[in-house]
Amino acid sequence: MAKIAIIAGDGIGIDVTAEARKVLQEINRLESLQIELVDFDFGADYFLKTGIALPEGQIEIFRNEFDAILLGALGDPRIPDMAHGRGILLAMRFELDLFVNLRPVKLLHEKLCPLKNKTIRDVDFVVFRENTEGEYVGAGGFLKKNTADEIAVQEAVHTRKGVERIIRAAFEYAVEHKRPKVTMSDKSNVLRYGHDLWQRVFYAVGEEYPKIEKEHFYVDAMLMEMIRRPEHFQVIVTENMLGDIVTDVGAMLQGGLGMAASGNIHPGQTSLFEPVHGSAPAMAGKNIANPIAAILTAAMMLQHLNFASAAQRIENTVEAAILNHQVTQELGGSLGTREVGDYISSRL
Ligand code: IPM
Ligand code: MN
Protein backbone atom coordinates (compact mmCIF):
# COMPACT_ATOMS: atom_id res chain seq x y z
CA MET A 1 0.00 0.00 0.00
CA ALA A 2 1.21 3.48 -0.79
CA LYS A 3 -0.24 6.93 -1.32
CA ILE A 4 1.39 8.94 -4.06
CA ALA A 5 0.99 12.63 -4.87
CA ILE A 6 1.31 13.50 -8.55
CA ILE A 7 2.29 17.00 -9.64
CA ALA A 8 2.47 17.04 -13.43
CA GLY A 9 3.58 20.69 -13.39
CA ASP A 10 4.25 22.61 -16.59
CA GLY A 11 4.95 22.08 -20.27
CA ILE A 12 5.85 18.53 -21.24
CA GLY A 13 5.65 17.65 -17.55
CA ILE A 14 1.92 17.29 -18.21
CA ASP A 15 2.45 15.11 -21.30
CA VAL A 16 5.00 12.72 -19.82
CA THR A 17 3.41 12.44 -16.38
CA ALA A 18 0.17 11.27 -17.98
CA GLU A 19 2.14 8.33 -19.41
CA ALA A 20 3.97 7.59 -16.17
CA ARG A 21 0.59 7.64 -14.46
CA LYS A 22 -0.82 5.22 -17.02
CA VAL A 23 2.07 2.82 -16.41
CA LEU A 24 1.67 3.15 -12.63
CA GLN A 25 -2.03 2.35 -12.82
CA GLU A 26 -1.40 -0.71 -14.94
CA ILE A 27 1.40 -2.07 -12.74
CA ASN A 28 -0.79 -1.36 -9.73
CA ARG A 29 -3.47 -3.58 -11.24
CA LEU A 30 -1.09 -6.33 -12.38
CA GLU A 31 0.79 -6.58 -9.10
CA SER A 32 -2.03 -5.59 -6.72
CA LEU A 33 0.18 -2.95 -5.15
CA GLN A 34 -2.76 -1.01 -3.72
CA ILE A 35 -1.26 2.32 -4.58
CA GLU A 36 -3.43 5.39 -4.54
CA LEU A 37 -2.62 8.27 -6.89
CA VAL A 38 -3.73 11.79 -5.99
CA ASP A 39 -3.27 14.64 -8.50
CA PHE A 40 -2.28 18.19 -7.60
CA ASP A 41 -2.37 21.06 -10.09
CA PHE A 42 0.56 23.06 -8.72
CA GLY A 43 2.67 24.72 -11.39
CA ALA A 44 2.79 27.90 -13.46
CA ASP A 45 -0.97 28.28 -14.03
CA TYR A 46 -1.72 27.81 -10.36
CA PHE A 47 1.02 30.29 -9.44
CA LEU A 48 -0.19 32.91 -11.92
CA LYS A 49 -3.78 32.51 -10.75
CA THR A 50 -3.18 32.48 -6.99
CA GLY A 51 0.19 34.15 -6.55
CA ILE A 52 1.46 31.23 -4.49
CA ALA A 53 3.62 28.27 -5.43
CA LEU A 54 2.31 25.87 -2.77
CA PRO A 55 -0.47 26.53 -0.25
CA GLU A 56 0.44 26.97 3.40
CA GLY A 57 0.82 23.59 5.05
CA GLN A 58 0.98 21.65 1.78
CA ILE A 59 4.46 20.27 2.40
CA GLU A 60 3.30 19.08 5.83
CA ILE A 61 0.43 17.28 4.12
CA PHE A 62 2.87 15.59 1.74
CA ARG A 63 5.11 14.63 4.64
CA ASN A 64 2.34 13.25 6.84
CA GLU A 65 -0.13 11.78 4.39
CA PHE A 66 1.87 10.65 1.37
CA ASP A 67 4.61 8.07 0.81
CA ALA A 68 6.04 9.70 -2.29
CA ILE A 69 5.59 12.54 -4.76
CA LEU A 70 5.93 12.18 -8.51
CA LEU A 71 6.73 15.46 -10.26
CA GLY A 72 6.69 16.06 -14.01
CA ALA A 73 8.56 19.30 -14.74
CA LEU A 74 8.42 22.97 -13.82
CA GLY A 75 9.21 25.98 -15.96
CA ASP A 76 7.12 28.45 -17.92
CA PRO A 77 8.12 31.40 -20.12
CA ARG A 78 5.55 33.59 -18.29
CA ILE A 79 7.61 33.20 -15.08
CA PRO A 80 11.15 33.91 -16.29
CA ASP A 81 12.75 33.86 -12.84
CA MET A 82 11.26 30.41 -12.05
CA ALA A 83 9.81 31.75 -8.78
CA HIS A 84 7.21 28.97 -8.75
CA GLY A 85 9.86 26.36 -9.49
CA ARG A 86 11.86 27.39 -6.46
CA GLY A 87 8.66 27.57 -4.40
CA ILE A 88 7.68 24.02 -5.34
CA LEU A 89 10.74 21.94 -6.19
CA LEU A 90 13.43 23.58 -4.10
CA ALA A 91 10.99 24.10 -1.21
CA MET A 92 10.22 20.39 -1.15
CA ARG A 93 13.90 19.45 -1.40
CA PHE A 94 14.72 21.69 1.56
CA GLU A 95 11.66 21.29 3.76
CA LEU A 96 11.39 17.53 3.32
CA ASP A 97 15.17 17.42 3.77
CA LEU A 98 15.63 15.31 0.62
CA PHE A 99 19.39 15.31 0.86
CA VAL A 100 20.10 12.58 -1.69
CA ASN A 101 19.56 13.45 -5.32
CA LEU A 102 20.10 10.04 -6.86
CA ARG A 103 20.58 10.11 -10.61
CA PRO A 104 21.40 6.85 -12.35
CA VAL A 105 23.34 7.08 -15.61
CA LYS A 106 22.53 3.80 -17.27
CA LEU A 107 22.65 3.20 -21.00
CA LEU A 108 19.78 0.88 -21.97
CA HIS A 109 20.85 0.30 -25.58
CA GLU A 110 24.11 1.12 -27.31
CA LYS A 111 22.34 2.82 -30.20
CA LEU A 112 21.30 5.59 -27.77
CA CYS A 113 24.84 6.52 -26.74
CA PRO A 114 26.42 9.47 -28.55
CA LEU A 115 29.92 8.07 -27.94
CA LYS A 116 31.62 5.75 -30.42
CA ASN A 117 32.01 2.06 -29.58
CA LYS A 118 30.43 2.18 -26.13
CA THR A 119 28.15 -0.62 -25.00
CA ILE A 120 25.61 -0.85 -22.21
CA ARG A 121 28.38 -2.22 -20.00
CA ASP A 122 30.39 0.98 -20.43
CA VAL A 123 27.76 3.46 -19.23
CA ASP A 124 26.39 2.28 -15.92
CA PHE A 125 26.99 4.46 -12.89
CA VAL A 126 25.01 6.48 -10.37
CA VAL A 127 25.48 10.05 -9.20
CA PHE A 128 24.79 11.06 -5.61
CA ARG A 129 24.17 14.78 -5.82
CA GLU A 130 23.94 16.61 -2.50
CA ASN A 131 20.52 18.24 -2.58
CA THR A 132 20.10 20.62 0.37
CA GLU A 133 23.22 22.80 0.54
CA GLY A 134 25.80 24.60 -1.58
CA GLU A 135 24.78 27.61 -3.68
CA TYR A 136 21.20 26.36 -3.65
CA VAL A 137 20.52 27.60 -0.11
CA GLY A 138 20.13 31.08 -1.61
CA ALA A 139 22.44 32.90 0.82
CA GLY A 140 23.82 36.19 -0.35
CA GLY A 141 22.69 39.60 -1.40
CA PHE A 142 23.16 42.72 -3.46
CA LEU A 143 24.89 45.97 -2.66
CA LYS A 144 24.24 49.06 -4.79
CA LYS A 145 21.88 47.05 -6.98
CA ASN A 146 21.36 48.36 -10.52
CA THR A 147 24.25 50.80 -10.29
CA ALA A 148 27.62 50.69 -12.00
CA ASP A 149 29.15 49.76 -8.64
CA GLU A 150 26.83 46.85 -7.99
CA ILE A 151 28.12 43.97 -5.91
CA ALA A 152 26.42 40.56 -5.89
CA VAL A 153 27.45 37.95 -3.36
CA GLN A 154 26.27 34.34 -3.70
CA GLU A 155 27.42 32.13 -0.89
CA ALA A 156 27.71 28.36 -0.85
CA VAL A 157 26.95 26.60 2.40
CA HIS A 158 28.57 23.27 3.24
CA THR A 159 28.03 21.71 6.65
CA ARG A 160 29.96 18.80 8.06
CA LYS A 161 26.72 16.95 8.80
CA GLY A 162 25.38 17.64 5.31
CA VAL A 163 28.56 16.55 3.54
CA GLU A 164 28.94 13.52 5.75
CA ARG A 165 25.46 12.15 5.19
CA ILE A 166 25.58 12.32 1.38
CA ILE A 167 29.06 10.80 1.26
CA ARG A 168 27.96 8.03 3.61
CA ALA A 169 24.89 7.40 1.46
CA ALA A 170 27.18 6.95 -1.57
CA PHE A 171 29.42 4.47 0.26
CA GLU A 172 26.40 2.56 1.60
CA TYR A 173 25.04 2.32 -1.93
CA ALA A 174 28.39 1.00 -3.16
CA VAL A 175 28.38 -1.70 -0.47
CA GLU A 176 24.77 -2.67 -1.09
CA HIS A 177 25.14 -2.79 -4.88
CA LYS A 178 28.59 -4.39 -4.88
CA ARG A 179 30.27 -1.45 -6.59
CA PRO A 180 33.98 -1.45 -5.65
CA LYS A 181 34.70 2.27 -6.05
CA VAL A 182 33.32 5.66 -5.02
CA THR A 183 34.50 8.79 -6.84
CA MET A 184 34.15 12.17 -5.14
CA SER A 185 34.28 15.25 -7.31
CA ASP A 186 34.78 18.86 -6.28
CA LYS A 187 36.79 21.95 -7.10
CA SER A 188 38.91 21.95 -3.97
CA ASN A 189 41.95 23.30 -5.83
CA VAL A 190 40.13 26.64 -5.95
CA LEU A 191 37.34 26.53 -3.37
CA ARG A 192 39.65 26.20 -0.40
CA TYR A 193 37.03 26.21 2.35
CA GLY A 194 33.81 24.51 1.34
CA HIS A 195 35.42 21.94 -0.89
CA ASP A 196 38.29 21.40 1.51
CA LEU A 197 35.62 20.19 3.93
CA TRP A 198 34.41 17.78 1.25
CA GLN A 199 37.95 16.43 0.86
CA ARG A 200 38.46 15.82 4.56
CA VAL A 201 35.03 14.29 5.13
CA PHE A 202 35.33 12.03 2.08
CA TYR A 203 38.51 10.38 3.30
CA ALA A 204 37.36 10.28 6.93
CA VAL A 205 34.07 8.56 6.08
CA GLY A 206 35.92 6.43 3.52
CA GLU A 207 37.98 4.87 6.30
CA GLU A 208 34.81 3.17 7.50
CA TYR A 209 34.67 1.39 4.12
CA PRO A 210 38.11 -0.19 3.76
CA LYS A 211 37.01 -2.53 0.96
CA ILE A 212 35.83 0.31 -1.28
CA GLU A 213 38.28 2.19 -3.42
CA LYS A 214 38.23 5.95 -2.88
CA GLU A 215 38.95 8.19 -5.82
CA HIS A 216 38.90 11.94 -6.35
CA PHE A 217 38.62 14.09 -9.48
CA TYR A 218 38.35 17.84 -9.84
CA VAL A 219 35.05 18.32 -11.57
CA ASP A 220 36.43 19.69 -14.84
CA ALA A 221 38.70 16.69 -15.22
CA MET A 222 35.92 14.31 -14.25
CA LEU A 223 33.54 15.61 -16.90
CA MET A 224 36.27 15.04 -19.45
CA GLU A 225 36.78 11.47 -18.24
CA MET A 226 33.03 10.82 -18.26
CA ILE A 227 33.14 11.43 -22.02
CA ARG A 228 36.48 9.72 -22.66
CA ARG A 229 35.89 6.58 -20.59
CA PRO A 230 32.50 6.44 -18.88
CA GLU A 231 33.22 2.81 -17.99
CA HIS A 232 35.64 4.10 -15.36
CA PHE A 233 32.80 5.31 -13.08
CA GLN A 234 30.55 3.40 -10.72
CA VAL A 235 29.38 5.70 -7.93
CA ILE A 236 30.00 9.45 -8.06
CA VAL A 237 29.30 11.76 -5.13
CA THR A 238 29.40 15.53 -5.42
CA GLU A 239 27.96 18.78 -4.15
CA ASN A 240 24.70 20.33 -5.29
CA MET A 241 25.55 22.63 -8.18
CA LEU A 242 28.34 20.52 -9.60
CA GLY A 243 25.94 17.59 -9.40
CA ASP A 244 23.39 19.54 -11.42
CA ILE A 245 25.93 19.92 -14.22
CA VAL A 246 27.43 16.44 -13.97
CA THR A 247 24.00 14.81 -14.24
CA ASP A 248 23.00 16.70 -17.39
CA VAL A 249 26.19 15.43 -19.03
CA GLY A 250 25.38 11.98 -17.64
CA ALA A 251 21.92 12.18 -19.18
CA MET A 252 23.49 12.68 -22.61
CA LEU A 253 25.59 9.53 -22.18
CA GLN A 254 22.41 7.51 -21.71
CA GLY A 255 20.61 8.94 -24.71
CA GLY A 256 19.52 12.43 -23.72
CA LEU A 257 17.38 14.15 -21.14
CA GLY A 258 14.40 12.08 -22.26
CA MET A 259 16.04 9.01 -20.70
CA ALA A 260 17.25 10.31 -17.34
CA ALA A 261 15.39 9.53 -14.11
CA SER A 262 16.00 10.95 -10.68
CA GLY A 263 14.96 10.68 -7.07
CA ASN A 264 15.13 13.35 -4.35
CA ILE A 265 15.35 11.09 -1.37
CA HIS A 266 15.44 11.11 2.39
CA PRO A 267 15.75 7.43 3.24
CA GLY A 268 12.69 6.24 5.13
CA GLN A 269 10.70 9.44 4.57
CA THR A 270 8.39 10.94 1.96
CA SER A 271 10.56 11.45 -1.10
CA LEU A 272 10.16 13.18 -4.43
CA PHE A 273 10.79 11.69 -7.85
CA GLU A 274 11.23 13.72 -11.04
CA PRO A 275 12.79 13.19 -14.44
CA VAL A 276 16.01 15.19 -14.92
CA HIS A 277 14.55 17.06 -17.90
CA GLY A 278 12.72 20.36 -17.75
CA SER A 279 9.36 21.50 -19.10
CA ALA A 280 10.47 22.12 -22.73
CA PRO A 281 7.62 24.59 -23.43
CA ALA A 282 8.14 24.48 -27.19
CA MET A 283 7.38 20.74 -27.22
CA ALA A 284 4.45 20.84 -24.82
CA GLY A 285 1.06 19.45 -25.77
CA LYS A 286 2.26 18.15 -29.15
CA ASN A 287 2.50 14.48 -28.23
CA ILE A 288 6.21 14.45 -29.12
CA ALA A 289 8.05 14.42 -25.78
CA ASN A 290 9.79 11.20 -24.79
CA PRO A 291 7.99 9.84 -21.70
CA ILE A 292 10.68 7.27 -20.86
CA ALA A 293 12.49 9.43 -18.28
CA ALA A 294 9.19 9.97 -16.46
CA ILE A 295 8.31 6.27 -16.67
CA LEU A 296 11.74 5.22 -15.38
CA THR A 297 11.33 7.81 -12.63
CA ALA A 298 8.05 6.16 -11.63
CA ALA A 299 9.94 2.83 -11.52
CA MET A 300 12.58 4.40 -9.29
CA MET A 301 9.80 5.60 -6.99
CA LEU A 302 8.34 2.10 -6.79
CA GLN A 303 11.79 0.74 -5.99
CA HIS A 304 12.04 3.27 -3.17
CA LEU A 305 8.62 2.16 -1.89
CA ASN A 306 9.88 -1.44 -1.81
CA PHE A 307 7.89 -2.57 -4.84
CA ALA A 308 11.05 -4.01 -6.36
CA SER A 309 9.48 -6.48 -8.77
CA ALA A 310 7.06 -3.87 -10.12
CA ALA A 311 9.98 -1.50 -10.69
CA GLN A 312 11.97 -4.19 -12.47
CA ARG A 313 9.02 -5.06 -14.65
CA ILE A 314 8.72 -1.43 -15.81
CA GLU A 315 12.45 -1.19 -16.53
CA ASN A 316 12.38 -4.41 -18.52
CA THR A 317 9.45 -3.18 -20.57
CA VAL A 318 11.17 0.14 -21.28
CA GLU A 319 14.16 -1.84 -22.55
CA ALA A 320 11.83 -3.88 -24.76
CA ALA A 321 10.28 -0.69 -26.14
CA ILE A 322 13.73 0.59 -27.11
CA LEU A 323 14.77 -2.74 -28.60
CA ASN A 324 11.56 -2.92 -30.64
CA HIS A 325 11.80 0.72 -31.82
CA GLN A 326 8.57 1.61 -30.01
CA VAL A 327 9.90 5.04 -29.10
CA THR A 328 9.60 8.73 -30.00
CA GLN A 329 11.39 10.35 -32.94
CA GLU A 330 14.23 11.68 -30.85
CA LEU A 331 15.24 8.04 -30.21
CA GLY A 332 14.79 7.04 -33.83
CA GLY A 333 11.19 5.77 -33.57
CA SER A 334 7.95 7.15 -34.93
CA LEU A 335 5.61 7.03 -31.94
CA GLY A 336 4.07 9.89 -30.02
CA THR A 337 4.25 10.40 -26.27
CA ARG A 338 0.90 8.67 -25.67
CA GLU A 339 1.69 5.74 -27.95
CA VAL A 340 4.94 5.04 -26.08
CA GLY A 341 2.98 5.07 -22.82
CA ASP A 342 0.33 2.79 -24.34
CA TYR A 343 2.96 0.37 -25.63
CA ILE A 344 4.79 0.16 -22.31
CA SER A 345 1.65 -0.20 -20.20
CA SER A 346 0.23 -2.87 -22.51
CA ARG A 347 3.48 -4.88 -22.49
CA LEU A 348 4.13 -4.89 -18.75
C1 IPM B 1 17.35 19.84 -11.77
C2 IPM B 1 16.96 21.22 -12.25
C3 IPM B 1 16.76 22.12 -11.01
C4 IPM B 1 18.08 22.20 -10.31
C5 IPM B 1 16.20 23.52 -11.33
C6 IPM B 1 14.92 23.44 -12.13
C7 IPM B 1 16.00 24.33 -10.09
O1 IPM B 1 17.89 21.73 -13.12
O2 IPM B 1 16.55 19.19 -11.07
O3 IPM B 1 18.44 19.37 -12.13
O4 IPM B 1 18.91 23.06 -10.63
O5 IPM B 1 18.31 21.41 -9.41
MN1 MN C 1 19.46 20.34 -13.67
Side-chain angles (χ1 to χ4, degrees), residues 72-303:
L74 295 168
D76 187 294
R78 293 169 297 170
I79 312 171
D81 67 353
M82 264 289 265
H84 72 304
R86 284 195 305 281
I88 299 172
L89 178 61
L90 297 188
M92 288 199 284
R93 285 181 184 169
F94 285 103
E95 287 178 42
L96 296 173
D97 198 27
L98 306 173
F99 66 95
V100 176
N101 195 328
L102 179 59
R103 297 188 157 178
V105 178
K106 190 170 191 277
L107 181 63
L108 297 182
H109 193 290
E110 61 188 55
K111 71 183 176 190
L112 302 182
C113 188
L115 305 179
K116 270 185 289 185
N117 307 325
K118 296 295 178 192
T119 68
I120 55 171
R121 272 195 304 278
D122 295 321
V123 182
D124 185 8
F125 60 90
V126 294
V127 180
F128 278 75
R129 166 185 174 191
E130 202 292 321
N131 214 27
T132 54
E133 300 194 339
E135 280 83 352
Y136 279 68
V137 299
F142 298 107
L143 278 171
K144 303 181 190 168
K145 193 172 178 185
N146 291 322
T147 73
D149 298 319
E150 176 162 358
I151 299 170
V153 177
Q154 188 85 48
E155 291 164 311
V157 172
H158 302 275
T159 68
R160 180 173 279 270
K161 285 197 182 92
V163 176
E164 202 172 309
R165 65 182 180 173
I166 186 70
I167 286 176
R168 183 162 281 114
F171 277 109
E172 286 296 324
Y173 180 95
V175 171
E176 197 183 322
H177 293 83
K178 303 195 169 38
R179 300 294 191 112
K181 179 173 64 190
V182 173
T183 305
M184 191 274 278
S185 190
D186 62 20
K187 192 67 188 165
S188 53
N189 48 347
V190 180
L191 305 177
R192 296 299 303 136
Y193 308 115
H195 292 200
D196 184 77
L197 176 65
W198 273 80
Q199 284 281 324
R200 284 178 283 121
V201 172
F202 179 60
Y203 291 105
V205 172
E207 276 185 24
E208 297 168 28
Y209 302 89
K211 294 204 185 104
I212 303 214
E213 188 190 333
K214 276 122 322 238
E215 176 185 63
H216 171 260
F217 274 106
Y218 298 126
V219 69
D220 45 355
M222 188 179 77
L223 285 165
M224 236 165 45
E225 293 302 323
M226 271 170 55
I227 304 297
R228 195 167 73 91
R229 42 168 188 157
E231 64 277 13
H232 179 77
F233 298 99
Q234 295 161 2
V235 178
I236 292 173
V237 61
T238 190
E239 65 92 48
N240 204 345
M241 198 172 77
L242 299 183
D244 181 42
I245 299 165
V246 165
T247 55
D248 268 19
V249 175
M252 287 300 130
L253 296 177
Q254 62 191 126
L257 284 168
M259 300 299 296
S262 99
N264 299 260
I265 298 168
H266 188 121
Q269 296 184 21
T270 306
S271 295
L272 164 72
F273 296 79
E274 44 147 5
V276 175
H277 65 69
S279 63
M283 292 168 71
K286 296 184 179 155
N287 197 37
I288 54 175
N290 178 6
I292 287 181
I295 292 169
L296 289 174
T297 296
M300 234 180 130
M301 178 180 73
L302 293 179
Q303 180 79 45

